[in-house]
Amino acid sequence: MLSVTAVTAQAQASEAAPKYQPEMVRALADSLGVSEKAAVERLDEQDAQQRRLAGLAEDGISGDGAFFTAGGELTVNAGDAAEARKIEKSGLDARVPARGQAELEKIKAKLDTLAAKRVPGGVSSWRVDLASDTVTVEVNSGRGAATKAFLAEAAKHGKAVKVVKGQEKLTPQAVIYPGSRMTYNGYLCSVGYGAHDRNGKQFLVTAGHCVEDLPVLSYNNVRFAKATHTRFAVGTRSVDMGVAAVDSGNSIATSVGTWGNGSPVAVQGSRRAASGAALCKSGQTTGWTCGTVRSYNVSVTYTDQNGGPDTVVSGLASSTVCTEGGDSGGAYISGNQAQGMTSGGPIGQQCSGVNSGGSSYFQPLDDALNYYGLTLNTN
């Protein structure tokens, strides 16, 4: 996190390196139950398909959302059969959905508006799920007037909304702990990504709840940054992004640490991975854990375990990556593309290793960079 780390990362980057870091390949191979060679082929194909998708946009074919299937095939929603044929000519799978991303986003926006007025404490999250062509609502309890009103509104949209019951309550993943990788006022989080503004000033991009009161941040009990902005506010509709100005003489490494699972993963960009893509996360509590992207533009209700107000947070991404308290702010990466910072996850979730089952929510990095007008530092 400090300058000595950056120097080490630069020295490692100068050596010959494979296209993908070995730890990323091993994790994907284990999670899919395939050979490391097959895992590399999966990453290559995933990248090639996403490049073809970008090429469609350049040719004026916008589509209506895209997602990876469990088998690794990128499927693009088309507006009609003619557009589907154009998409398929590019080598990608296409379908004409009953609804599609644009219509589903409108439904979710209505639910967001309702939640902004009254926090639905019994609803863990709601998101557009492109694969199922629904807005998926995860519920931990049907009690409470606000929750009942939210579910009644969701029911008005019929099959366009899928309600999943029996889910866990969620919480931001910062916990009290003395002496940690990133500490502030007796609390801890995990370090996110380094970026710079047009004048070259250096910033740490992190989860907004990690810097809610704009504190001084420390690494190994030594100050390295001071928070300057956050969009997180307890009890109100929030966005979990924030930044801190990095002190002169310090810097954020351009490689993501893997906590003993191999050498750091070099960061070469921030191109957003499609739903279903493989990714891993680095955080001080659970270390290096991996899974896949589930959905984007997810809204969640975070529950304060100490009896404080519940908080609705919007604009997150969901994943099958396992996290625990203290992982907040930690870095998600897919291949060599930075994806975001840990926001939260189920209360009481326990992770048992790199590919342990679980779920989590992260703040997409590209949204934070765009909002604050910053450019990611790359390796």
Side-chain angles (χ1 to χ4, degrees), residues 81-121:
E83 186 175 65
R85 287 192 292 270
K86 292 179 181 178
I87 293 170
E88 290 172 345
K89 285 183 179 180
S90 75
L92 296 174
D93 289 343
R95 70 173 186 181
V96 180
R99 288 164 286 273
Q101 183 171 359
E103 181 178 338
L104 295 174
E105 293 288 2
K106 290 178 181 178
I107 294 173
K108 180 182 174 292
K110 292 180 180 180
L111 297 178
D112 285 345
T113 298
L114 184 60
K117 298 175 181 177
R118 299 176 66 191
V119 175

Side-chain angles (χ1 to χ4, degrees), residues 281-360:
K281 173 236 89 239
S282 181
Q284 72 85 34
T285 304
T286 58
W288 185 247
T289 55
C290 301
T292 59
V293 179
R294 293 174 68 190
S295 299
Y296 289 100
N297 193 20
V298 181
S299 296
V300 307
T301 302
Y302 281 148
T303 301
D304 189 322
Q305 299 180 73
N306 298 315
D310 294 342
T311 303
V312 169
V313 179
S314 59
L316 298 177
S318 59
S319 77
T320 62
V321 175
C322 193
T323 60
E324 295 180 21
D327 282 329
S328 284
Y332 286 68
I333 189 165
S334 179
N336 53 29
Q337 299 295 307
Q339 297 299 311
M341 297 74 62
T342 302
S343 175
I347 295 174
Q349 177 168 263
Q350 295 184 335
C351 309
S352 58
V354 172
N355 295 300
S356 54
S359 64
S360 60

